[in-house]
C-alpha cells in the first residue's frame, strides 16, 4: 500500500490546526494516564508533600464533578480551540430559540469515536455557543471514572465536563432560574463501536434513563444531530459475533469504557494514524420538547415521551440531511 505524504509546504494555519487536533487526541487517549503517573512520581519521590496536599484537596473536592463542575471561561476560549474547530471544520447550527429561564437536556447523536462535535461545540466557545444561545451554560456529561484521575479531572472540568451519573444530571437540571444545559451522548460508549463512515445506526430504543430524568426535573428535551461525526475515523471490522466485538463488549461491560480500534491519518501522511480525517461536522440543535415536571413518572409517561423524542430526532435528521451531503434514500436505523 502506498503512503500518501502531506505536502512539505503548507500554510502555517494548517499546521496549527493539525497541532491543535493532535493535542486533543493525546488528551483523550493518554493525558489521564500521564497525570496518574505524574501523581505517583510525586507521591513516591521528593514531591510527596505536594501529593498529600492534593489528596486532601481531592477528598474535599470529590463531589464537585457531580455538583456542576468547575468551568473556566478562560480555558474554553483558548485560541487552540479555534484551530481545532477549523481543522474539520465544526459548525453549530441553531434551528430554534431556547428560553434561558428553562433548563434543557440535549440528546447528542451519534456518539462517534471521540465525540469531536460535542466537545468542540459544548466544551469550548470556538463555535459560538454563548452567542447562539445567550443565557445558557452547557455541560457535557462524561463517565464518572475520569473524574477520579488526579489533575486530569481538574483539567476536563475547566472545559465544562461533568460526571454522567444521575445525581449530576439532576443537580444541573434542578437548578432554580434555569439556564443550565446537560448534554448527553445518548448512545454511550457501545455506540462508538458502530462509528465508521456512512454509519447511521443509533442505539436509542432501550435508552430511556435520560427521558425519566427530564420528566423528574421538568427539563425540556432537545434532540441534537451531528452530521459528519461518524466520518472522522475508520474502524477495524468488528461485526456482531466476531471475536473482536466479543472482546470489546466484555471490556465495555467490565470497565464501562468502549475500546474501538480506530484509525484515520497521521501528522505527516494521510494513509494511517490516529488523527481524524478533515471532514466537516455540522451539529444541528433541534427545537425543544417541553416536558411537565413529574417527580414519579409512570412507565407509560416515559415510553410516550421517548416515542415523541425519537420522532423529533428522526424529523430533525430528515429535514437537514440534504444540506449536509446525504442522499434522500439515507435514513436512520434505530436499535
Amino acid at each position: 500500500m502506498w503512503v500518501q505524504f502531506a505536502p512539505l509546504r503548507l500554510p502555517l494555519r494548517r499546521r496549527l490546526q493539525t497541532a491543535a487536533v493532535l493535542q486533543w487526541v493525546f488528551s483523550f487517549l493518554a493525558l489521564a494516564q500521564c497525570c496518574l503517573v505524574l501523581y505517583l512520581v510525586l507521591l513516591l519521590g521528593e514531591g510527596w508533600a505536594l501529593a498529600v496536599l492534593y489528596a486532601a484537596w481531592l477528598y474535599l473536592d470529590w463531589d464537585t464533578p457531580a455538583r456542576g463542575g468547575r468551568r473556566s471561561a478562560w480555558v474554553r476560549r483558548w485560541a487552540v480551540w479555534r484551530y481545532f474547530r477549523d481543522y474539520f471544520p465544526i459548525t453549530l447550527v441553531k434551528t430554534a430559540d431556547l428560553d434561558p429561564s428553562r433548563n434543557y437536556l440535549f440528546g447528542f447523536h451519534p456518539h462517534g469515536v471521540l465525540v469531536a462535535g460535542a466537545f468542540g461545540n459544548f466544551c469550548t466557545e470556538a463555535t459560538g455557543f454563548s452567542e447562539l444561545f445567550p443565557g445558557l451554560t452547557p455541560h457535557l456529561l462524561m463517565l464518572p471514572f475520569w473524574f477520579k484521575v488526579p489533575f486530569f479531572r481538574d483539567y476536563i472540568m475547566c472545559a465544562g465536563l461533568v460526571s454522567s451519573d444521575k445525581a449530576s444530571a439532576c443537580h444541573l437540571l434542578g437548578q432554580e432560574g434555569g439556564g443550565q444545559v446537560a448534554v448527553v451522548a445518548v448512545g454511550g460508549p457501545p455506540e462508538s463501536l458502530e462509528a465508521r463512515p456512512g454509519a447511521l445506526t443509533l442505539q436509542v430504543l432501550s435508552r430511556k434513563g435520560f427521558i425519566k430524568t427530564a420528566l423528574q426535573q421538568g427539563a425540556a428535551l432537545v434532540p441534537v444531530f451531528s452530521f459528519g461525526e461518524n466520518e472522522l475515523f475508520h474502524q477495524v471490522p468488528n461485526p456482531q459475533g466476531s471475536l473482536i466485538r466479543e472482546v470489546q463488549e466484555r471490556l465495555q461491560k467490565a470497565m464501562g469504557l468502549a475500546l474501538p480500534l480506530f484509525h484515520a491519518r497521521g501528522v505527516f501522511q494521510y494513509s494511517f494514524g490516529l488523527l481524524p480525517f478533515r471532514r466537516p461536522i455540522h451539529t444541528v440543535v433541534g427545537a425543544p420538547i417541553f416536558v411537565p415536571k413529574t417527580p414519579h413518572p409512570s412507565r407509560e409517561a416515559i415510553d410516550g415521551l421517548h416515542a415523541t423524542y425519537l420522532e423529533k430526532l428522526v424529523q430533525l435528521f430528515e429535514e437537514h440531511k440534504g444540506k449536509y451531503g446525504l442522499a434522500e434514500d439515507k435514513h436512520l436505523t434505530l436499535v
Side-chain angles (χ1 to χ4, degrees), residues 161-195:
L161 286 150
V162 296
S163 174
S164 61
D165 60 25
K166 184 176 180 180
S168 176
C170 290
H171 174 82
L172 291 173
L173 301 177
Q175 293 293 304
E176 296 292 335
Q180 302 300 313
V181 177
V183 184
V184 180
V186 176
E191 193 174 89
S192 69
L193 300 178
E194 302 285 354

Side-chain angles (χ1 to χ4, degrees), residues 29-41:
L29 298 180
L31 184 58
Q33 294 88 326
C34 291
C35 288
L36 183 58
V37 169
L38 173 60
Y39 181 77
L40 292 175
V41 168

Side-chain angles (χ1 to χ4, degrees), residues 54-330:
Y54 183 85
W57 157 254
L58 187 61
Y59 175 78
L60 296 173
D61 195 56
W62 191 254
D63 293 332
T64 297
R67 304 290 293 175
R70 185 170 49 250
R71 64 200 300 112
S72 166
W74 175 64
V75 171
R76 288 172 57 86
R77 295 181 183 277
W78 278 353
V80 67
W81 305 131
R82 295 194 292 273
Y83 289 110
F84 172 83
R85 171 200 65 197
D86 293 340
Y87 174 92
F88 299 95
I90 302 174
T91 306
L92 184 61
V93 181
K94 174 182 177 179
T95 64
D97 290 330
L98 298 182
D99 182 358
S101 68
R102 291 178 173 270
N103 294 320
Y104 298 88
L105 198 163
F106 283 15
F108 182 87
H109 310 269
H111 185 285
V113 173
L114 298 183
V115 211
F119 181 87
N121 288 303
F122 307 121
C123 296
T124 82
E125 287 297 330
T127 58
F129 181 91
S130 294
E131 296 175 5
L132 288 173
F133 302 103
L136 295 182
T137 302
H139 307 264
L140 180 60
L141 275 63
M142 190 175 186
L143 290 173
F145 168 83
W146 297 111
F147 296 95
K148 296 177 172 60
V149 181
F151 306 131
F152 181 72
R153 67 190 295 276
D154 303 290
Y155 175 60
I156 60 177
M157 278 197 289
C158 286
L161 286 150
V162 296
S163 174
S164 61
D165 60 25
K166 184 176 180 180
S168 176
C170 290
H171 174 82
L172 291 173
L173 301 177
Q175 293 293 304
E176 296 292 335
Q180 302 300 313
V181 177
V183 184
V184 180
V186 176
E191 193 174 89
S192 69
L193 300 178
E194 302 285 354
R196 49 177 48 88
L200 293 172
T201 299
L202 304 181
Q203 297 196 19
V204 291
L205 294 185
S206 62
R207 305 278 175 154
K208 299 181 181 181
F210 74 107
I211 299 291
K212 182 177 181 180
T213 299
L215 280 164
Q216 289 174 330
Q217 303 301 323
L221 280 166
V222 179
V224 178
F225 196 89
S226 195
F227 292 90
E229 192 74 38
N230 282 341
E231 308 302 312
L232 306 182
F233 297 96
H234 292 299
Q235 278 201 58
V236 173
N238 60 339
Q240 291 286 351
S242 66
L243 176 60
I244 291 177
R245 188 57 168 263
E246 183 179 348
V247 171
Q248 288 174 322
E249 291 179 345
R250 287 189 178 185
L251 286 174
Q252 194 273 322
K253 290 178 180 178
M255 302 166 54
L257 306 173
L259 296 174
L261 300 178
F262 63 91
H263 58 94
R265 54 158 290 186
V267 177
F268 301 112
Q269 46 74 32
Y270 302 140
S271 301
F272 58 88
L274 297 180
L275 289 188
F277 294 119
R278 285 180 180 264
R279 305 278 170 78
I281 299 172
H282 297 89
T283 303
V284 183
V285 179
I289 304 168
F290 296 111
V291 178
K293 186 171 184 177
T294 313
H296 304 287
S298 64
R299 182 181 296 275
E300 291 74 18
I302 295 172
D303 290 344
L305 181 56
H306 186 250
T308 299
Y309 177 84
L310 295 183
E311 178 185 345
K312 295 298 183 182
L313 172 61
V314 171
Q315 180 181 335
L316 181 71
F317 173 82
E318 293 292 336
E319 288 179 353
H320 292 87
K321 66 182 182 182
K323 301 176 187 176
Y324 305 120
L326 291 177
E328 282 300 312
D329 63 348
K330 297 294 184 181

Side-chain angles (χ1 to χ4, degrees), residues 22-33 152 155:
L22 178 61
Q23 67 81 29
W24 172 73
V25 171
F26 170 79
S27 297
F28 200 102
L29 298 180
L31 184 58
Q33 294 88 326
F152 181 72
Y155 175 60

